Amino acid sequence: MFSEIITTLESNIGSIQLNLFDFGVEKPKFEEILNTRFQNHETPRNVNKNLKLLANNHLEYINPICPNCSSKNVIKQEYQERHPIIDQSGSQTIYLRRYKCNHCSKKFVTSLDSVIKPHHRYANIFTAKIESLIQTGYRSLRKSGEDLQTFLGISPSHTTIKNWLTIDAKSHIQNIQTVYSGYYCYDEQYIRLNGQRHYRLTLYDTILNIPIAEEIVLKRTTETIYNFINKSTYKQPLIAITTDHFRRYKRIMDKLGVKHQLCIFHLFKMIGNSVYKILKSKKVTRQEKISLCLYFTELKNIFRTYNEETAIQRLETLLEKFNDIPKVLQRYLTKKILPDFQRLTHSMRSPFIERTSNKVENYYRQTDPNQIKKIYKTITGILSYLNLKMKKWTAKHGTNINTQ
């Protein structure tokens, strides 16, 4: 019965938009709804919008037009049989009319792409449900199949689900955002794929609050990082990038010609680790420990301001007491803070530059927590998962999004 086909079309909002006046005392006129509103959005290769539903699940275009040359000189041919699964009742048999264009001799078939993709057996709605489940958190392929069985009454194999989720990407994924702000954070995450060490490279737009690109690489060389950032920002604004204090980043950012902000949080953490070791030592007196803490606080206060002049004044005041400063802090002042002072204060000269890389660190914690860092076996597998998380994050947390 054709009602079996309509059941799915009715539930697929992307294909049929049901209105309140479609329902009343009488049953909805599904044939009328199908003819007037099915496939109400245009696709590049589908100029045929209106379908006619005949007896015994036979479907054809009302006024067929060749999708190749837009000619109306089209002749009808036989029907193509398909056996899609469109609801919990299992496989259904439908028949789609085939056509031949007399103008360009191309053949085409009645399209149900908005409901079922070509060469697919399961309706698109099931693929969308699986993607929604994965976006909320990691699920194994078999567990995802069990979820579909429990909630939707279908049981595709784990291989089928894998094919639904797999994306065509060798090592790089890019966000759909059309224009980036030019202000970014960059970071890397160590992961294991099939027991082998890899690196997850991420460029994050701090103004739009979204990841713009990710890449999985075997080695994080200077050339690899440079090429990743360069490719990710191709024909896009590139003004400033905030990173942690990994040494090679300076050369990379200078080569890119961007303002390079060093993360203040990582600076405090780096110095704090050295200070903590001294505070735990029994060889240091209590007075020396108090003095160390006080000077450490003064050092941190240099960067606890958004005014560059204030920061310079506090630095000069601290340097006047240089001989009294504990040696561990002297080393950081002379070897780290003074040489990199410009890179540590870019955020004071521009309110758009992020002073820490905490946003991308938080993105890592949310999308790839420690408990799943060693689960994936292939680059394609982890990228397919991260691609879904990127879409979810962009929709939920992104600001001023203008997608294609």
Side-chain angles (χ1 to χ4, degrees):
M1 297 295 293
F2 71 83
S3 61
E4 295 173 338
I5 304 300
I6 296 302
T7 301
T8 299
L9 300 181
E10 174 191 3
S11 63
N12 192 316
I13 302 301
S15 303
I16 294 182
Q17 180 63 53
L18 297 179
N19 294 328
L20 184 61
F21 55 76
D22 292 325
F23 297 90
V25 178
E26 298 180 356
K27 292 183 178 180
K29 297 179 180 180
F30 288 123
E31 263 188 84
E32 181 181 343
I33 296 169
L34 180 67
N35 291 333
T36 57
R37 276 180 272 147
F38 180 72
Q39 290 184 335
N40 57 5
H41 60 284
E42 293 191 33
T43 56
R45 297 288 297 171
N46 184 25
V47 294
N48 300 284
K49 294 183 180 180
N50 296 323
L51 288 177
K52 183 189 297 182
L53 187 59
L54 307 176
N56 298 321
N57 297 345
H58 287 65
L59 291 141
E60 63 180 39
Y61 292 126
I62 295 177
N63 297 304
I65 301 174
C66 177
N68 184 60
C69 66
S70 300
S71 172
K72 295 183 180 180
N73 188 9
V74 173
I75 59 173
K76 296 180 180 180
Q77 295 188 328
E78 74 285 356
Y79 285 94
Q80 180 186 87
E81 184 176 326
R82 289 187 65 179
H83 303 277
I85 296 175
I86 55 180
D87 60 18
Q88 64 273 16
S89 59
S91 177
Q92 306 292 329
T93 301
I94 63 173
Y95 304 89
L96 304 177
R97 173 77 76 179
R98 294 171 62 90
Y99 306 89
K100 181 179 180 180
C101 177
N102 284 335
H103 183 264
C104 66
S105 299
K106 295 289 185 179
K107 294 184 178 181
F108 60 100
V109 67
T110 304
S111 173
L112 288 179
D113 292 1
S114 60
V115 179
I116 308 166
K117 291 181 180 179
H119 313 297
H120 281 225
R121 193 180 182 202
Y122 288 89
N124 298 343
I125 189 172
F126 300 128
T127 305
K129 292 298 182 184
I130 280 291
E131 291 183 354
S132 298
L133 288 171
I134 299 295
Q135 284 176 353
T136 60
Y138 171 77
R139 281 175 173 80
S140 68
L141 297 177
R142 288 181 170 82
K143 176 63 176 176
S144 299
E146 292 175 4
D147 291 338
L148 285 183
Q149 176 64 44
T150 301
F151 297 109
L152 299 179
I154 65 167
S155 55
S157 68
H158 69 279
T159 303
T160 298
I161 296 175
K162 178 183 177 182
N163 293 335
W164 291 351
L165 300 177
T166 299
I167 62 173
D168 185 18
K170 293 183 178 180
S171 63
H172 185 100
I173 56 174
Q174 191 88 17
N175 206 328
I176 59 175
Q177 178 71 17
T178 55
V179 179
Y180 306 141
S181 71
Y183 296 90
Y184 312 104
C185 284
Y186 169 80
D187 206 352
E188 301 151 2
Q189 184 187 44
Y190 155 69
I191 61 174
R192 280 193 176 275
L193 298 178
N194 202 24
Q196 190 173 18
R197 188 183 187 98
H198 287 73
Y199 293 93
R200 173 189 177 188
L201 314 183
T202 305
L203 193 63
Y204 193 96
D205 193 309
T206 57
I207 303 297
L208 300 180
N209 196 31
I210 59 170
I212 67 166
E214 297 206 61
E215 190 168 311
I216 307 297
V217 298
L218 197 57
K219 296 181 180 180
R220 53 171 182 172
T221 64
T222 299
E223 183 180 4
T224 299
I225 298 171
Y226 172 81
N227 290 337
F228 165 69
I229 297 176
N230 207 29
K231 176 169 60 177
S232 303
T233 57
Y234 180 66
K235 292 186 178 181
Q236 294 284 349
L238 183 57
I239 303 170
I241 299 179
T242 302
T243 70
D244 59 30
H245 295 254
F246 192 43
R247 290 183 179 180
R248 69 182 60 176
Y249 291 160
K250 295 181 186 179
R251 298 194 303 272
I252 296 170
M253 302 308 157
D254 290 344
K255 186 177 180 181
L256 288 167
V258 299
K259 296 177 181 178
H260 181 206
Q261 170 71 36
L262 290 172
C263 178
I264 301 301
F265 172 78
H266 281 85
L267 175 68
F268 292 170
K269 184 178 180 181
M270 185 167 45
I271 301 175
N273 290 337
S274 300
V275 170
Y276 180 75
K277 292 178 182 178
I278 297 175
L279 294 178
K280 295 291 289 184
S281 175
K282 296 181 180 180
K283 298 180 181 179
V284 181
T285 65
R286 182 172 181 274
Q287 188 62 37
E288 289 174 330
K289 292 179 180 179
I290 293 174
S291 176
L292 176 60
C293 290
L294 291 174
Y295 278 112
F296 184 30
T297 299
E298 283 192 54
L299 188 149
K300 289 190 289 186
N301 285 339
I302 296 172
F303 304 100
R304 286 173 172 168
T305 178
Y306 290 93
N307 187 288
E308 186 182 12
E309 293 182 2
T310 301
I312 293 174
Q313 184 179 2
R314 291 175 180 176
L315 175 60
E316 291 175 347
T317 301
L318 184 60
L319 291 176
E320 290 175 359
K321 303 178 287 186
F322 185 80
N323 293 332
D324 299 328
I325 298 174
K327 290 184 179 180
V328 62
L329 298 182
Q330 287 181 356
R331 288 195 297 270
Y332 278 104
L333 278 167
T334 57
K335 295 183 178 181
K336 184 64 184 175
I337 294 176
L338 290 176
D340 292 335
F341 190 75
Q342 289 297 313
R343 298 178 190 267
L344 290 165
T345 55
H346 276 303
S347 59
M348 298 180 189
R349 294 184 287 277
S350 172
F352 300 109
I353 299 177
E354 196 74 16
R355 59 194 288 117
T356 72
S357 58
N358 290 351
K359 285 187 176 181
V360 69
E361 294 279 0
N362 180 53
Y363 177 67
Y364 280 155
R365 286 192 296 271
Q366 296 291 327
T367 58
D368 193 22
N370 290 331
Q371 59 266 32
I372 67 170
K373 286 180 66 173
K374 300 179 181 180
I375 289 177
Y376 285 91
K377 304 297 182 183
T378 65
I379 291 178
T380 302
I382 185 66
L383 282 180
S384 298
Y385 169 74
L386 293 177
N387 187 57
L388 293 176
K389 299 299 287 187
M390 178 184 286
K391 290 180 181 178
K392 178 73 172 181
W393 185 279
T394 300
K396 186 175 181 180
H397 301 286
T399 58
N400 299 322
I401 303 300
N402 295 309
T403 54
Q404 292 178 336

